[in-house]
DNA sequence: CTAAATCACGTGGTAGTACCAGGTACAATT
DNA sequence: AATTGTACCTGGTACTACCACGTGATTTAG
């Protein structure tokens, strides 16, 4: 008996999506490049504009392109971040689970830190220190939770990008977005700010001292 | 000077998407439930069917719903897996990076294992053993890479689902899909099958013996 | 009466057209 | 030269019509 493989019915929308995606993945279109407009794409592909739109919106959702109404569609910049809303929707069931998010962040972060401590450039360290400085200033001047969280996210996001393992970087992104959402739902815990700042300060110091042992027992 | 917040222009499509998503996240619509058809939704929302379609496709892309042509759209089952293609697209830049994927899987898996070793039910262990048995049979009878990989994915996916930390489960899903893609691109390494089977066999044995030390030095 | 073929209907998939709103670029005006 | 205005481009939205496929009731052949 011959083996019969199931026929996968691929829709027009999916074909368009894959073809455009392949332009980007093969680097025929580079970050920042402008895509042909929807009407032109539809004509070239020989499909209806609606199909092209569905494809483009899908690509935007996963972060491959950025759509700017009135301007056009553009290939997302390098390190293409997955849109925050997309992540939140994908993990919506878990955003109340603060402990799980914390554990996951710690797990990934511990690896990133260990690695980053080996080959973080002076420039990158300076960037992190600058954010840390902003956090300190904010902490002294005004109690603004949203701004604080913004900076905290920025610090950790930066840190994630420093990993030479790009999967880690993206996983960090994911977890930080989840933390962001879950944090919006919890009250301010006394001392939380100070703790957050303190241990990140210690971490930076350890990096500068090339003290890998210190890094290992982070948090 | 008063603070002016930027106006976020939310499109019709996004509003529809959010509203439908909220039905699901709030559990008004449960897994398996059928959504109203596109035409009806469009009428109820007072928008064009195209907007509804774009929203539904977006929700399908992130795994919240499943669209079955000719039948309708349905809320995805619990543990809603993120569609494999979506993950592959999001991480497309990294799927050639075999070492990174391996490292990431090891990192997550080590945590899952440690945890799973504490509270894996007999039923779950049986499931895993069954897949392992299939792997052994396959290994002896026929050299079928695709089938082997399928079973390997199934084992690890099952394992990930055993974690009480749901974030870990999803991260495992993500990494396994990436491995799947990257594996399609590499040749068969001699002895790889046997190694894969052997250490998973050892792991299962350790679980049954409640030997957490053994689990810790996995792989 | 049972089982198979058929047909109607519902659903998502696709196409075509037209118009609106916001952005850009460049010419016209001051 | 700086400002204003205007034509044009782009994505956002709407309405309509039809196709392909799946389901289930109906009809038909045995």
């Amino acid at each position: 008996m011959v083996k019969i493989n199931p026929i996968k019915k691929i829709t027009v929308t999916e074909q368009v999506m894959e073809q455009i995606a392949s332009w980007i993945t093969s680097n025929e279109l580079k970050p920042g490049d402008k895509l042909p407009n929807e009407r032109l794409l539809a004509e070239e592909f020989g499909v209806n504009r609606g199909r092209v739109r569905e494809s483009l919106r899908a690509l935007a959702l996963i972060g491959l392109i950025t759509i700017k109404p009135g301007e056009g569609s553009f290939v997302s910049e390098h390190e293409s971040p997955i849109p925050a809303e997309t992540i939140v929707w994908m993990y919506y069931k878990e955003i109340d689970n603060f402990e799980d998010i914390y554990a996951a962040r710690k797990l990934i972060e511990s690896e990133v830190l260990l690695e980053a401590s080996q080959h973080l450039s002076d420039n990158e360290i300076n960037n992190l220190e600058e954010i840390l400085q902003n956090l300190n200033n904010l902490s002294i001047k005004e109690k603004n939770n949203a701004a604080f969280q913004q900076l905290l996210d920025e610090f950790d996001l930066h840190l994630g990008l420093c990993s030479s393992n790009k999967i880690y970087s993206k996983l960090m992104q994911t977890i930080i977005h989840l933390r962001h959402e879950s944090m919006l739902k919890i009250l301010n815990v006394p001392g939380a700010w100070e703790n957050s700042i303190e241990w990140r300060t210690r971490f930076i110091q350890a990096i500068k001292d090339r003290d890998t042992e210190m890094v290992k027992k982070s948090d």
Side-chain angles (χ1 to χ4, degrees), chain A:
Chain A
M1 183 62 178
V2 291
K3 189 182 177 188
I4 296 180
N5 292 312
I7 304 296
K8 57 173 176 181
K9 299 152 206 159
I10 187 162
T11 67
V12 169
T13 304
E14 283 167 319
Q15 289 182 59
V16 171
M17 188 175 168
E18 282 186 10
Q19 206 163 138
I20 296 178
S22 77
W23 295 344
I24 301 171
T25 55
S26 71
N27 226 33
E28 284 175 68
L29 282 175
K30 294 173 186 42
D33 282 359
K34 183 177 176 182
L35 273 71
N37 72 57
E38 296 178 350
R39 289 168 179 83
L40 186 58
L41 282 172
E43 197 180 334
E44 294 285 326
F45 281 124
V47 301
N48 182 275
R49 190 179 153 212
R51 300 319 105 214
V52 173
R53 277 188 57 76
E54 283 179 358
S55 305
L56 291 180
R57 286 196 63 83
L59 292 172
L61 199 68
I62 59 180
L64 242 56
I65 68 171
T66 305
I67 301 175
K68 299 179 183 176
E71 294 183 58
S73 299
F74 304 82
V75 178
S76 295
E77 291 301 326
H78 60 290
E79 308 298 353
S80 56
I82 303 164
E85 323 84 58
T86 306
I87 291 177
V88 172
W89 270 320
M90 289 192 304
Y91 284 79
Y92 76 94
K93 281 183 181 169
E94 268 55 68
I95 56 175
D96 282 321
N97 206 331
F98 197 65
E99 288 86 9
D100 283 4
I101 294 172
Y102 182 75
R105 199 201 95 235
K106 232 183 97 179
L107 179 63
I108 306 289
E109 195 163 72
S110 66
E111 283 297 296
V112 172
L113 287 183
L114 206 57
E115 218 199 293
S117 66
Q118 313 269 328
H119 54 61
L120 212 54
S121 75
D122 290 343
N123 194 14
E124 287 166 333
I125 292 178
N126 285 339
N127 273 334
L128 291 174
E129 276 193 310
E130 195 177 323
I131 301 173
L132 209 51
Q133 192 56 50
N134 289 336
L135 273 169
N136 268 312
N137 291 339
L138 191 69
S139 176
I140 295 166
K141 286 196 303 191
E142 42 178 344
K143 288 284 180 190
N144 183 337
N145 268 317
F148 182 82
Q149 198 184 344
Q150 188 68 41
L151 285 169
L152 208 60
D153 287 351
E154 202 183 323
F155 184 95
D156 291 343
L157 229 29
H158 254 77
L159 189 60
L161 289 175
C162 292
S163 172
S164 64
N165 184 326
K166 297 307 174 198
I167 308 278
Y168 290 164
S169 299
K170 291 241 180 191
L171 296 183
M172 271 288 270
Q173 272 183 34
T174 299
I175 293 165
I176 290 167
H177 286 316
L178 293 180
R179 177 183 62 181
H180 188 95
E181 273 302 305
S182 73
M183 273 188 166
L184 291 175
K185 300 190 167 190
I186 62 168
L187 295 174
N188 192 21
V189 180
W193 285 29
E194 289 71 17
N195 283 337
S196 298
I197 295 176
E198 191 194 335
W199 102 254
R200 282 173 181 75
T201 307
R202 281 211 314 274
F203 159 69
I204 288 285
Q205 194 54 49
I207 293 283
K208 290 165 86 171
D209 298 345
R210 303 295 178 203
D211 178 358
T212 50
E213 282 310 308
M214 165 60 212
V215 171
K216 278 183 191 166
K217 46 181 185 175
S218 64
D219 210 340

